[in-house]
Structures are given as structure tokens and as C-alpha cells.
Amino acid sequence: MTSKTALLFLPFFYGFLTLTFQAVFIRQLVSFYGASEINYAVIITLWMILTGLGAWMFEKIFVSRKASYKALFSMTLLGAVSPLLLLISNNFIGLVCGYDISLSSSRIYGFTTVALASLFVMSPLCLLSGAVFTGIVRKMTAVSEEQGLASAYIVEALGALTAGILMSLLIFQLFEDYQVLAGMVVIALAVASTVILLRWFKLDLAKKTAYVTSIIVIAVFTAIYFQSFEQVLYHNRNRTDPYSTPYQMLSSRTDAGQLTVFSNGVKRFTTPDRESAELVHLVLWQKASFERIAVIGLPSPDLLHELLKYSQAKIDIYEIDRDYYDYIRSHLNSKKKSCYEDRRLTYFWGDPHFRFLNSDRACDFILVNVGDPQGISSNRYFTHTFYERSAKLLKAGGILAFETRGSGNLLRKNLKAYLSSLAATLKSVFPDLAVIPAERYIFMASNENISMDIDVDLWLRNKRFHDINTVYVDSVYLDYLNQPFKLMEIEQVLADTAGQVNRSLRPIVYYFNMILHAEMFRGFEQGFMLFFKNHPLAVRVLYVLPALPLLLIMLRRRKAKLVSGAYLAGFAGMLMQITVIVMFQALFSNIFSRIALLNGLFMFGLAVGGYLPIFWDSRKVRNPLRFAFSLMLSGVLMFIFAIVLSQVFADSVRQISILLLAVISGGFSGCLFNLSAVAYRKRFGSEIAGAFYFADLVGGALAGAVIATVTIPLAGVYSSLYIMITVVVTYIILNLSFRNREERRSL
Amino acid sequence: MKRRTVLKTFACGACASLLPINPIRQGGGLVENALCLDTTDTLSDVDAMFYEKREGTAIECLLCPRHCRVTDLERGYCGVRENRDGRYITLVHSRACAMNIDPIEKKPLFHFKPGTPAFSIATAGCNVNCQFCQNWDISQVRPEQVANVELTPEDITQICRQRRVPTIAYTYSEPVVFYEYMYDTCLKSRKNGIKNVVITGGYIEEKPLRKLLGLVDAVKVDLKAFSEDYYREIVNGELQPVLEALKIIREEGVWLELVYLMVPTLNDSEDEIKQLCGWILENLGDRVPIHFTRFHPAYLMKNLPSTPLESLEKAYTTASQSGLRYPYVGNVPGHDGEHTRCPDCKKIVIRRRGFTILENDLMEGRCRFCEQDLDGVWS
């Protein structure tokens, strides 16, 4: 192995390693704590900032002390085993030393706690990863005259791309998370050892002994610890049978004949649980006769049991996750399992949003059984578009219904805003709307004005007519439901004209749902979310976030201005990547494998885009900036074009255009980064990898923090276009600031 | 401030002062239609009870065992009692954020006027922080964060009279934190023959508790667990003061029922239930009903399963075998453990399903089958 190859291998390996650990960490967080999109944003933002910080901090060390091979490989070794150090803390995700940031048993956590725990867990690996990146670049620059920073950037992206593809398509399908983690550590040890072995014969006996001993100790420790690692991971909740499907992490728990199934860490259903399942009758008793019911999302055993009480009903079930179906059936007794095999049921596998809306099976009821709009993809079932198309699939006088969070107390302001928004969205399509104030509020909407009523007599009449036997939903319960205070509040919600209509690309209901989640934790997260909700102007101010480097023009910091290019590259890259992911989820689904594909395409674009400035440089292209500008502008134009395409054309064209967007996003970001890197090297004859990497990742982290959590939900996906325009304008101004000075010559 | 702005502000203020101060009562009339839900943004500033002045303007709250030391413009742990220049005030007097007419069985009070409704009210705030709270949206927030309706003790009494509701229940959040409101409402309603019941965690000091017990007809205490660790980690409170409060309630002769919410893996061990039953028997006697209720995931504990029926049934059996006369299984509609059985002949004297009384075989508090007296407030 030549020095150069060995050096190029390291960023590739680190790209691979960090993405794998990041994936394992996020998956664990999801499986235990039901992490939401905002948690991902927190983790990825922290990940980027820590890595950038590592790069920046160690650059100063590498300037004074040479980045030797030994140092780099030792740091790789340390980085690889650093997640193991956390195992000593008795909890991989949690931690040791403080109550405040320990993620302990059986409860859910706010963003602040998740952020603190992530900070603790990820710090060693991220800091070392950034440090190694800087060290490699310095070493490469010393070894050859080539573009070290630009090359390392590309190779690291390729490493991450390889990990993304392998993990999503193969490794996570075959192995459990803890096995992946153990495997990665062992591989890292082997790699580092092999490289060290190449220099083996130059070492004296003491060093040889030290190396061998340390590797053996670590290996033994790993082996011992990993035997009980699964129990450590699943200890908190005594969960059994963890199982990953392409769409969710499933686990279950059986206590004394009671089965509870968890999806992504949050309870999906408990059986027996007849009382909540019986609430479905309140909807079905609106009609004396009906034929077909469409259920979006696989019903729980008890819910299905209640539905099957209507002997005349044919039930269409739309579910994305066939593995989930197999999983729950494998845990049920034969009686409950037989419910799922009833011949009146017809299953439609695949994305329900797509399968159902493209179906031609008219139905009397549509029961949306997907929970609250906790993510962008579940938000799709609460939008104007979904309701519009559902209304056409309903027979005349048919009813669409779903349950969502409510309150037995007076509705607080944020909950009212959430419910008003749901009501406004339904009202924008359906002429008739009613809400039942049960434990969870039941919304019912009809495509004709059939005067739906939450009238006890009507319910009881139809209960008798259908001859339904219930344990819980009886006349006393129904009387109790019709509390005059609750009904008056619901009237207020339905009459509220300020409710905003929820759309796929402007998921306002999802944002309100996040606020309601944040309310449980009070403090920072609630204040943050409410601030932007209450101050629309503040959201617009975020549009100029990419223009922060313009301050440097005023300060006349020439070096910093070039580093700003990396900041813009990071910002633009993350902006576009998140926009693409949100668009994909909003329009299609939360199919994780496709999300991995999107990330893979982004990385591919990043590598290609990153290569262009090196290519121009080696070919002595006379004015690469001109090329770069034309590339950027065509990128922006294609970005706009693809968004338009995605709105106008059919699903297949939309999918292709979104995938294309992912490549463009990566290419744009990679090109922008390396343009600045190449320009800096040409101008100053050296490279400051740490500062560049730091600026890139800070840009990305900032974009990640604001785009996913604030601007898209509150201002819509099109706000990304405005922010993109700010990026381009800032870049042009930054370059113009050079054009009038001597730097122009170097560029 | 610009001149135009000043004028505008004054004009608005003048207009506002001409509007009815209390839109609930004057705009349509709470008393007339009893159901107007106009909310108010203003909080009360009624003098709080049970506190002592400390150095400077600081005070020490003596209402609950927390004994919050509150400096000027600060609030106690409950978030609803504020120090204003050495004067401790309650912000939630006559500020209800929840009201419903519930069956008394929902509280649950099974030995108190069965089959009757209770006008149930609450304000924001709580003096503990249970991680499984079903009403966290009012108990774990400040009064500014909820919708409040101005509902005076007079209004409550009127509503009860108009709608023929025999009982007022102070419930949902923690009534101890709106003590003054509860106290005044008790005073007012008793004069009109309305009964008062308190649904509480029992985390209260002796003096205020004894004073309150003189006015109320029944107390239901949520005994969250029988371990200090659980109280410290899951409830953010203490067990011992609650046990002391239980003894006082019994001593004062006010009807008492207990609820024990069984949270899987955290407080459902057989040992703990045995110890609990033993303590009740020794300190409260065998005539106190105890409801072992089913936990459903809520608030911060959404990642636990609901309580398995078998755990509840085991607890029920343990309580019966320990000698407690009235154990129940709660939150499981249709379960056999919902019925009241005669401790003597073991026959079902009150058959329930959920909140519904299906059959009542009590005659003036006696079993119709064996004429054994059953403990409770039956009429």
C-alpha cells in the first residue's frame, strides 16, 4: 500500500464508519424513544457541528505538530472504539454520570434531553473524525502537490455513500444494530492494526508488545461485553423480539396474556383493549346501512374484531408494511389471528396514500388509522389533497373519519389551533363535519350534507339496528360523551375561521403537532417552536441566514471570505437535501430505503460536483468561475424546474424529478465547496482544511436546524427556493468583492 | 411612543372599560344559560392561606410539605401561588380550566352516592409531577397557558342547583393548589345542601387538611405507590406526608377511598401490594375501599404497556386476602372487580359496568340479602 493510497483510504473509511455509527445511533434512538423528525435534525446538526469543531480545533495542533501516520492511525483506532467507551456507562444511548442527561427507563424525552445525550454519545467520534480529516489533508498536501482538501472531501463522501447503500440495502436487513456496531468496531481494529503492521518491522519489541496487548485487551473486552449487549439495549423496557422492517422498528412485550406491540419505540396497540377499539362504532352508527369500509393502516386485533361485527361489511385494508402484518400475526393466539384471515377482508399492500388514492373501489367509510400527524409522511393523510381525492372515492353521503389528540379539559390555545387547522382542512373539501369528544377526538366528514349528528338516540338506534354488542360504549358512556361544555368547545373549533389549511408541502398541522409534543417538556423547545409560530416575520428573517458571510466583506477578511464559500456550500447542500427529503416524504412515503437512495444520490452528486473544480484546475481551464456560475445557475434553474415538474406531472415523473434533485443538490454543494478550496490553495499556496470543513459543516448544521423544523412547516417547501436565491446572491456578492481587488488575478 | 399610538391606546382602553367586565356573566349570563364558555386572560389575586413571612419580602408556603420559600414576584412549585411584595396570592381563584358533569363513579368514588352526577372542576397547577399524568395539559402548566373560565363559587353553586347536581368534585389536577377556591366553594355550596368531594394526591400539610376536612364529605386519595423511591423518581414528591394525610382523613371521620394506579414494572410487585394492604389495615382499618386501576400510557410514560389484567386481579386478590373489605379493579369496563360485594354474604350489591350502575341492591346502606351494613355515604 503506497502512502497516498493509505491516506486516501482513511477518509473513505471514516466516511463509512461515521455514517454507520450515525445510522445505528439514530435507529436506537428511534426504537426506544420514538424520535421524530426534529430529533433527527438535532442529532444531525450536532453531528455536523462536532465534526467541524474537531477539524477546526485539531488544525491548530497539526500546524505546530506534524500529522504523522502513527498519529492519524491511532486517532482512527480511538475513533473506532470510542462508542465502546460509552458502553461502560451501562447504557449505549444513555449515560453515566448525570441524572439530567440520562435517558432512563420507560419515558419519552424532549429535544433538549436528546440533544444533551447525543452530545455526550457522539462527541468523541465526531471530534476525532474531524481531526483525522484535517490531519489527512495536511499529510496529503505534504506528500504531494495535489488538492488534498478537495480529494479528501470527495473520498469521504464516497465512503459515506458506500455505507449508505450497504447499510440500507444489505447490512441492516441481515444484522441487528448491536451486531453492526460490534462488527464495525472489529473491522476498524483490524484495519488500523493492518496498517500499523505495515510498519510493524520498524517497531521495537516494547512497542510491539504494547500494540498486541492493547488490541487483545480491547478485543476481549468487546467480546465479553457484546454478549450482553442486546440485553443492555433492550433492558429498559423488557422488550422482546426486536425486528426491523424497511419502514419501522418493531418490538413487543407480553405480560400475563396481554400483548403490546411497539413501533419505533412508541406503543402501537395493546390487546386486549376493547374499550378504545369500541369507539369505532360511534362512526359506523352514523349510517343504518353500508357495504364497504376502507381502513388506511393495518387495524389492531381488537379494532378489527369490532369492525367484523358488521356482517355485511367488506373491509379493504391498505398497509405499507407487510412485515408488520406478519409480525403481529406471529404474536397473536389463533382466535385473534383468525380475524386477519376473515374472507371479508381484502389487503392492499404498498404505500396506502398511493394505493388507496389510485383505487377505484368506492366505499361508505374511510377510517384513517395512522395515528397523529407526527411526521411529514403521516401528515399526508391530513391534507387538502388527500381529502379531496378521498371525497371522490366515498359513495354519496360516505364518511371519512379519524381519531386524534383531544382533551377532557378546556382546550388550550395550541391544541385549539391544531384542531382548528384540521377542521379547516376538512371543511375545505367536505360540506359536513362533526367531532366526537371521546378520549381522543373523533373527526367525521361527509362528502354530502347528511347532517351527521352526535346524538345519543341516533347512536343507540343504529346500535340496535346493527345488533352490535358492546361492553364499554353504552348509553351512560354516550351521555357522558355529550358533555355540554365539550360540545360548546367543539362548536368553537368548527366555527373558527382562522384555522390554516394543511397541505403536503406546507405541513402546518405537523408543526402544531410538534408544538403539542414540545408542550410536555416546557422550557427551550416549547419556547423555540412557539416563537416562530407567533412571529411569522422571524421565519422570513431566517431566509437571510445564508447571507451571514457578507459581514466578512465589511470586515475585509480575505481568507475568511474564501472560507465563506464552504459555509455556503454546506448550507446550500443541506438546504436542498432536506427539501428533497421532505418533498419526497410529503408526496410519496417514508420508505427508508428510498430515503437512503436519496442520500446516496446526494453523495454521488457531491463526489461528482466536488471533482469538477479539481478537473478544471488540472486542465488549466482559464476561467473556472464562469463554469461554476453557469453550473450553479443551471442547478438552481433545474431545482425550480424539478419542483414545478413535481407539482404538475404524474407520480413517476415526480419521482424521477425528485431523484434528479438529489443529484443536483449534492453536485451543487460539492462543487461550491471545492471551488473555494481550490481557489484558496491557488491564492495562498496552502490549505486550511479545518476551517473549511468547519465552515461547511456549520453551514449545513444551521440549514438543518432551521429548514426541517421551522421554514418548511411554517412557510412551505417553496420557502427553500427563496433561501436558495439568498445563497446564490450571497455567493455572487462574495465573488464580486474579489473581482475589484488583487484576488481576482488569483481566481 | 408616538402621539397617535398613545391616543389609540387610550381610546381602546376607554372602549374596553365600557364593556362588561365579566363577559361570562353579563354577556348572555352564565347563571341564565349556565354554559357560556368565554375565557378570560386575567388571573385572580386573592390572598392565599397558610404561609408565613420570612426575611425581607420572602415568604414560606405552608400549604403542602414542599414548603416553598418564595421571593418577591416568584411562584411556588405549583406555579399558581405568587409572592407579590410579601403578600402571597393565589392566581387561580375562580379560574376553572376544566369542568364537566361526571358520574361520581368516574372519580372513582364507589361508596359515595352511587349513580349520581358530580360537577367536576379544576384549575391549572399541581404540587407534584407524575410522569404518567393523564391531565398533564392542565396540571403541569402555568395558569397563563390554559384556557380559564371565570367561575366563582356562587356560579358553581348556581349551576349545581339549576342542573340538580348533588355534588361538587374538585378533581383532574391537584385541588390542594387551588385550596382557597375549593374552600370558598365548599363554604358556599354547603349552605345550599350540595356535597363536596376532593380528589387529591394527599400531599398536603396537616393544618390546611384538617381545616378543609370540616367542610368536605368525601376524599379520594391517589396513593401512587408504596415506596419512597417511586415517589421521588416518578412523582417528584414524598410518600410519608401522604400516609400521614390518610391517617388524618380517617381520624376526622371523612369518607375516604383510595386509588392505586398500577404502572407495569414500576409499582406492581406483589410485595409492594402486600405491604400496602398491611399498612392500610393497620392504620386505616379494613373499611376503606381501594381501587387498583389500570394504567394507560400517557404524558411522559407513553412507552410502557397498559397494565395487564392479571396484575390487577392479583392485587385485588391480595387485598381481599389481607382482609380489606372493599377492593376494586378500575379502568377495566365490564370486569367483575367493578362490583360492590357485601363483605358478609359476598353477594353483589351494586353491579356496575364502567360508570353505569346496572343494579343496586342496597337498602338504606344495607345489603338486601343479609341486611349487613355497608360502609359509605349512600344518600
Side-chain angles (χ1 to χ4, degrees):
Chain A
M1 194 189 283
T2 64
S3 303
K4 194 184 159 194
T5 321
L7 276 174
L8 277 177
F9 178 75
L10 273 182
F12 179 88
F13 182 66
Y14 244 100
F16 192 96
L17 195 69
T18 48
L19 197 96
T20 306
F21 285 148
Q22 195 180 35
V24 169
F25 181 67
I26 289 178
R27 284 163 67 91
Q28 285 301 310
L29 203 74
V30 166
S31 68
F32 279 143
Y33 306 109
S36 61
E37 265 89 345
I38 203 159
N39 288 131
Y40 303 152
V42 165
I43 295 167
I44 291 168
T45 301
L46 277 170
W47 189 279
M48 294 174 98
I49 287 181
L50 287 171
T51 309
L53 204 63
W56 183 69
M57 278 173 9
F58 277 83
E59 181 166 60
K60 302 212 178 293
I61 297 170
F62 286 132
V63 167
S64 57
R65 295 172 66 87
K66 276 190 176 177
S68 65
Y69 283 109
K70 214 186 290 178
L72 289 177
F73 284 118
S74 306
M75 285 166 82
T76 309
L77 199 67
L78 265 180
V81 297
S82 62
L84 279 183
L85 298 174
L86 297 160
L87 291 177
I88 302 167
S89 73
N90 194 29
N91 188 342
F92 167 57
I93 305 165
L95 104 111
V96 239
C97 37
Y99 173 77
D100 287 334
I101 49 174
S102 69
L103 302 179
S104 61
S105 64
S106 317
R107 51 165 294 184
I108 55 169
Y109 291 92
F111 317 132
T112 316
T113 317
V114 168
L116 286 169
S118 309
L119 196 69
F120 184 86
V121 172
M122 300 186 313
S123 290
L125 180 62
C126 291
L127 291 171
L128 282 167
S129 157
V132 169
F133 183 84
T134 313
I136 290 164
V137 174
R138 291 206 75 82
K139 193 78 187 165
M140 285 178 81
T141 315
V143 168
S144 67
E145 289 302 310
E146 289 175 29
Q147 299 285 351
L149 174 57
S151 307
Y153 190 69
I154 294 167
V155 175
E156 197 195 24
L158 286 173
L161 167 65
T162 314
I165 292 171
L166 274 180
M167 291 299 147
S168 57
L169 299 182
L170 187 68
I171 295 176
F172 283 139
Q173 314 290 332
L174 296 177
F175 301 104
E176 291 298 334
D177 289 353
Y178 71 96
Q179 291 173 315
V180 175
L181 194 67
M184 283 309 297
V185 171
V186 171
I187 290 168
L189 285 171
V191 167
S193 312
T194 310
V195 178
I196 290 165
L197 276 174
L198 289 177
R199 304 168 61 79
W200 179 253
F201 297 106
K202 293 179 188 171
L203 301 175
D204 57 31
L205 187 65
K207 281 183 181 168
K208 279 179 189 169
T209 316
Y211 271 125
V212 171
T213 316
S214 55
I215 287 169
I216 289 172
V217 167
I218 293 169
V220 169
F221 171 76
T222 312
I224 293 169
Y225 206 94
F226 272 80
Q227 275 188 338
S228 58
F229 192 39
E230 188 180 7
Q231 278 110 44
V232 174
L233 284 178
Y234 295 98
H235 167 73
N236 280 346
R237 256 151 248 126
N238 301 325
R239 301 276 173 82
T240 55
D241 202 11
Y243 181 71
S244 301
T245 79
Y247 311 103
Q248 58 194 324
M249 306 267 296
L250 295 167
S251 55
S252 62
R253 184 192 154 101
T254 309
D255 316 82
Q258 174 186 273
L259 169 73
T260 307
V261 171
F262 300 86
S263 164
N264 291 338
V266 175
K267 188 188 108 168
R268 182 101 177 222
F269 68 81
T270 291
T271 182
D273 182 21
R274 284 185 66 182
E275 57 263 43
S276 53
E278 279 186 359
L279 294 176
V280 71
H281 298 302
L282 301 181
V283 176
L284 300 182
W285 290 341
Q286 289 294 319
K287 287 166 87 83
S289 64
F290 55 86
E291 191 189 357
R292 189 176 298 280
I293 305 168
V295 186
I296 313 289
L298 191 68
S300 68
D302 295 280
L303 181 59
L304 191 56
H305 176 77
E306 297 302 317
L307 288 172
L308 288 171
K309 285 180 177 174
Y310 298 84
S311 53
Q312 82 282 13
K314 291 171 185 155
I315 302 166
D316 295 344
I317 296 174
Y318 294 84
E319 170 62 39
I320 195 167
D321 197 350
R322 180 82 196 236
D323 290 348
Y324 172 57
Y325 169 78
D326 292 333
Y327 183 87
I328 58 174
R329 282 176 71 244
S330 68
H331 286 76
L332 293 173
N333 59 33
S334 55
K335 190 182 166 196
K336 288 196 170 170
K337 199 178 356 180
S338 66
C339 283
Y340 287 94
E341 285 147 14
D342 194 286
R343 57 190 168 75
R344 286 173 287 160
L345 305 180
T346 311
Y347 291 96
F348 296 87
W349 302 110
D351 179 18
H353 195 264
F354 179 79
R355 291 300 305 268
F356 175 64
L357 295 182
N358 287 293
S359 146
D360 55 357
R361 294 161 77 91
C363 47
D364 299 282
F365 287 103
I366 299 171
L367 304 178
V368 184
N369 178 40
V370 296
D372 290 329
Q374 282 174 338
I376 299 282
S377 51
S378 51
N379 181 73
R380 295 183 301 158
Y381 300 101
F382 300 87
T383 60
H384 176 82
T385 317
F386 179 74
Y387 294 150
E388 203 172 39
R389 289 162 77 175
S390 299
K392 288 178 189 157
L393 278 170
L394 282 170
K395 289 178 187 169
I399 294 172
L400 175 140
F402 61 84
E403 271 184 21
T404 192
R405 53 168 92 214
S407 175
N409 308 308
L410 294 184
L411 299 176
R412 58 201 190 278
K413 211 170 157 188
N414 294 328
L415 182 57
K416 222 173 203 169
Y418 166 76
L419 296 172
S420 295
S421 191
L422 280 174
T425 314
L426 284 165
K427 276 193 291 185
S428 68
V429 173
F430 294 98
D432 198 11
L433 176 62
V435 182
I436 305 170
E439 277 79 1
R440 283 166 59 76
Y441 281 17
I442 301 171
F443 277 73
M444 299 184 296
S446 175
N447 57 0
E448 276 190 3
N449 209 334
I450 58 169
S451 302
M452 280 183 298
D453 210 347
I454 48 174
D455 172 43
V456 179
D457 291 338
L458 172 83
W459 272 326
L460 293 177
R461 206 167 48 243
N462 281 332
K463 180 180 190 275
R464 281 193 297 274
F465 180 81
H466 290 294
D467 192 22
I468 301 295
N469 181 31
T470 53
V471 172
Y472 182 56
V473 178
D474 57 10
S475 56
V476 173
Y477 176 79
L478 295 175
D479 264 339
Y480 162 69
L481 266 190
N482 277 356
Q483 289 275 348
F485 302 103
K486 286 185 184 174
L487 297 181
M488 285 184 68
E489 281 209 296
I490 282 168
E491 268 177 39
Q492 286 177 2
V493 166
L494 296 181
D496 185 7
T497 50
Q500 293 167 276
V501 174
N502 186 41
R503 297 181 192 280
S504 296
L505 297 181
R506 190 167 179 274
I508 189 75
V509 160
Y510 156 70
Y511 192 82
F512 283 136
N513 194 61
M514 285 201 296
I515 292 178
L516 295 175
H517 180 80
E519 274 185 344
M520 285 191 288
F521 309 104
R522 291 171 272 177
F524 171 72
E525 47 260 55
Q526 189 189 356
F528 177 83
M529 314 273 320
L530 281 175
F531 174 78
F532 286 107
K533 188 198 132 210
N534 297 333
H535 300 89
L537 190 64
V539 181
R540 302 291 186 274
V541 169
L542 294 177
Y543 291 6
V544 297
L545 216 51
L548 283 180
L550 293 181
L551 294 173
L552 300 169
I553 293 180
M554 289 185 257
L555 298 172
R556 293 173 179 271
R557 298 282 302 273
R558 283 179 297 173
K559 283 186 180 180
K561 271 193 275 183
L562 274 167
V563 175
S564 301
Y567 166 84
L568 282 175
F571 198 101
M574 188 52 91
L575 162 73
M576 291 199 283
Q577 195 184 11
I578 287 176
T579 308
V580 165
I581 290 173
V582 167
M583 280 178 70
F584 194 89
Q585 284 191 296
L587 294 172
F588 302 108
S589 73
N590 61 344
I591 304 172
F592 289 143
S593 55
R594 290 199 200 165
I595 295 298
L597 179 67
L598 285 175
N599 284 335
L601 287 170
F602 178 85
M603 289 298 174
F604 172 73
L606 198 79
V608 172
Y611 180 67
L612 284 176
I614 302 175
F615 175 77
W616 292 325
D617 191 46
S618 63
R619 294 296 170 93
K620 309 257 184 268
V621 174
R622 288 190 62 182
N623 195 345
L625 263 187
R626 229 174 250 174
F627 279 96
F629 271 129
S630 33
L631 182 83
M632 280 193 315
L633 286 175
S634 42
V636 172
L637 285 175
M638 283 172 82
F639 189 65
I640 296 168
F641 180 64
I643 287 182
V644 173
L645 265 184
S646 70
Q647 287 304 290
V648 175
F649 289 102
D651 284 345
S652 54
V653 180
R654 285 186 189 185
Q655 288 217 21
I656 292 167
S657 59
I658 290 178
L659 295 179
L660 181 70
L661 263 179
V663 182
I664 295 169
S665 316
F668 185 74
S669 180
C671 182
L672 219 56
F673 181 88
N674 275 354
L675 258 180
S676 304
V678 171
Y680 189 94
R681 186 178 165 86
K682 288 184 76 176
R683 172 66 186 89
F684 298 103
S686 65
E687 288 183 326
I688 45 168
F692 264 82
Y693 205 41
F694 185 50
D696 178 56
L697 294 176
V698 165
L702 263 180
V706 300
I707 310 298
T709 55
V710 182
T711 60
I712 289 182
L714 282 177
V717 84
Y718 297 101
S719 62
S720 296
L721 268 180
Y722 300 121
I723 304 176
M724 198 62 215
I725 290 167
T726 318
V727 170
V728 173
V729 170
T730 309
Y731 198 80
I732 290 170
I733 295 173
L734 271 177
N735 276 286
L736 284 177
S737 74
F738 287 113
R739 288 175 73 88
N740 298 323
R741 296 183 174 84
E742 59 182 40
E743 288 90 339
R744 186 175 53 172
R745 286 196 293 278
S746 68
L747 290 171
Chain B
M1 198 187 281
K2 288 180 182 172
R3 194 170 61 94
R4 188 182 288 271
T5 319
V6 174
L7 286 174
K8 213 155 82 180
T9 311
F10 273 109
C12 289
C15 290
S17 66
L18 294 175
L19 290 171
I21 293 168
N22 183 345
I24 301 167
R25 242 164 291 137
Q26 296 184 20
L30 180 68
V31 176
E32 282 75 24
N33 65 24
L35 290 174
C36 195
L37 272 187
D38 290 343
T39 54
T40 175
D41 288 333
T42 60
L43 300 177
S44 68
D45 68 344
V46 173
D47 281 322
M49 298 157 83
F50 307 106
Y51 71 95
E52 279 176 7
K53 293 198 173 191
R54 292 287 177 259
E55 66 285 354
T57 53
I59 63 97
E60 183 176 346
C61 182
L62 303 174
L63 180 60
C64 86
R66 242 172 230 290
H67 282 230
C68 297
R69 286 176 76 90
V70 188
T71 52
D72 190 22
L73 294 177
E74 294 292 324
R75 292 186 193 176
Y77 180 88
C78 58
V80 299
R81 296 159 79 81
E82 188 172 292
N83 180 348
R84 290 209 185 139
D85 199 20
R87 179 179 158 240
Y88 204 37
I89 59 158
T90 168
L91 302 168
V92 290
H93 195 290
S94 306
R95 298 294 185 277
C97 67
M99 48 189 163
N100 289 303
I101 298 172
D102 292 336
I104 195 82
E105 283 74 16
K106 188 173 181 255
K107 303 297 113 195
L109 279 169
F110 278 14
H111 290 233
F112 186 88
K113 295 170 81 65
T116 60
F119 184 66
S120 309
I121 55 163
T123 75
C126 186
N127 56 355
V128 291
N129 178 13
C130 304
Q131 291 184 8
F132 46 77
C133 184
Q134 298 280 347
N135 285 303
W136 67 269
D137 60 336
I138 55 169
S139 68
Q140 299 306 322
V141 297
R142 297 208 155 198
E144 294 89 338
Q145 291 169 276
V146 295
N148 295 304
V149 170
E150 190 173 343
L151 200 65
T152 63
E154 290 77 18
D155 295 333
I156 295 169
T157 310
Q158 291 266 26
I159 290 173
C160 289
R161 289 180 61 188
Q162 267 190 343
R163 298 183 75 86
R164 298 200 177 113
V165 179
T167 309
I168 299 168
Y170 308 93
T171 177
Y172 304 134
S173 56
E174 174 50 67
V176 168
V177 305
F178 58 88
Y179 186 94
E180 296 76 10
Y181 184 25
M182 173 168 58
Y183 187 85
D184 291 347
T185 308
C186 287
L187 273 180
K188 184 79 195 171
S189 57
R190 278 174 75 88
K191 286 178 192 162
N192 288 278
I194 297 164
K195 296 206 179 292
N196 291 274
V197 298
V198 181
I199 314 302
T200 174
Y203 196 48
I204 183 170
E205 276 294 345
E206 181 180 348
K207 203 172 155 191
L209 177 60
R210 286 195 192 274
K211 188 169 171 128
L212 182 69
L213 289 174
L215 296 175
V216 302
D217 303 280
V219 181
K220 188 219 82 179
V221 175
D222 283 303
L223 190 55
K224 321 274 181 184
F226 200 65
S227 92
E228 282 291 356
D229 285 351
Y230 183 96
Y231 261 87
R232 190 174 54 249
E233 287 165 20
I234 310 290
V235 177
N236 201 12
E238 299 160 275
L239 171 64
Q240 199 50 44
V242 177
L243 298 180
E244 294 304 321
L246 290 175
K247 287 185 205 166
I248 294 167
I249 297 167
R250 199 75 183 114
E251 197 183 302
E252 293 284 334
V254 173
W255 181 247
L256 169 70
E257 296 193 26
L258 295 176
V259 161
Y260 189 89
L261 182 75
M262 294 188 65
V263 184
T265 74
L266 298 177
N267 69 351
D268 60 345
S269 74
E270 212 171 326
D271 279 351
E272 193 168 340
I273 304 294
K274 269 185 190 160
Q275 283 176 25
L276 167 78
C277 294
W279 185 89
I280 294 172
L281 218 52
E282 195 181 321
N283 295 280
L284 308 177
D286 60 354
R287 288 156 195 271
V288 177
I290 178 160
H291 306 252
F292 295 101
T293 55
R294 191 177 190 204
F295 159 86
H296 290 294
Y299 188 34
L300 302 176
M301 287 220 164
K302 285 196 186 118
N303 293 343
L304 276 178
S306 306
T307 320
L309 286 187
E310 203 176 292
S311 307
L312 295 162
E313 284 161 359
K314 264 187 194 167
Y316 177 91
T317 313
T318 307
S320 285
Q321 286 170 352
S322 305
L324 294 178
R325 291 159 74 100
Y326 309 111
Y328 291 99
V329 168
N331 273 354
V332 190
H335 194 277
D336 213 33
E338 286 185 313
H339 313 310
T340 301
R341 291 169 191 275
C342 171
D344 198 28
C345 68
K346 307 292 177 196
K347 285 190 177 155
I348 295 173
V349 281
I350 302 178
R351 189 181 290 277
R352 298 184 180 84
R353 193 170 66 190
F355 311 145
T356 321
I357 304 284
L358 299 174
E359 283 170 33
N360 188 343
D361 287 317
L362 272 182
M363 288 163 56
E364 294 171 353
R366 288 182 172 191
C367 169
R368 208 187 67 175
F369 308 107
C370 68
E371 299 207 340
Q372 164 78 33
D373 273 333
L374 267 78
D375 304 282
V377 180
W378 303 113
S379 56

